[in-house]
Amino acid sequence: MQDRIRTFVLATLAEMNYDVSEVTGDTDLGPAGLDLESLALADLSVQVEDEYGVKFDLDEMESTALMTLDEFTADVAARIAAAGGASPAPAASPAPAGSAV
């Protein structure tokens, strides 16, 4: 699960125009690494909330900035597990032509 979360987070950061080419699990999200500012951290958190059905409080942004990528993805995985381990439903795809629905 954590690898899937990491892939999602890196893709989201790339969409937010961050260079993730040299990001490792030990890369800090805040000033010592990716240098995500509070608005970027909030945007990332909202994207993760939408994808995985977890919630972050606004007062958590400061501690999130001090996390590494691995720490953040482990935190998200723990939140998912605490919420009952439910993963997001896969996107509905149209039925192939000629198949019964």
Side-chain angles (χ1 to χ4, degrees):
M1 173 59 91
Q2 194 169 343
D3 287 339
R4 195 169 109 198
I5 296 166
R6 173 192 268 205
T7 300
F8 176 80
V9 168
L10 290 174
T12 300
L13 290 171
E15 288 175 11
M16 293 167 60
N17 295 319
Y18 284 91
D19 179 10
V20 295
S21 61
E22 296 184 25
V23 171
T24 69
D26 294 328
T27 301
D28 290 323
L29 297 179
L34 280 166
D35 200 19
L36 300 180
E37 296 180 0
S38 58
L39 185 57
L41 284 167
D43 189 15
L44 176 62
S45 296
V46 167
Q47 299 274 352
V48 170
E49 286 176 347
D50 289 347
E51 182 70 14
Y52 294 102
V54 296
K55 293 301 274 175
F56 292 93
D57 293 327
L58 287 176
D59 60 344
E60 293 178 286
M61 292 303 111
E62 188 174 318
S63 62
T64 301
L66 301 175
M67 291 181 175
T68 64
L69 176 61
D70 280 351
E71 290 169 338
F72 180 69
T73 58
D75 180 60
V76 172
R79 289 169 191 256
I80 292 168
S87 60
S93 59
S99 65
V101 179

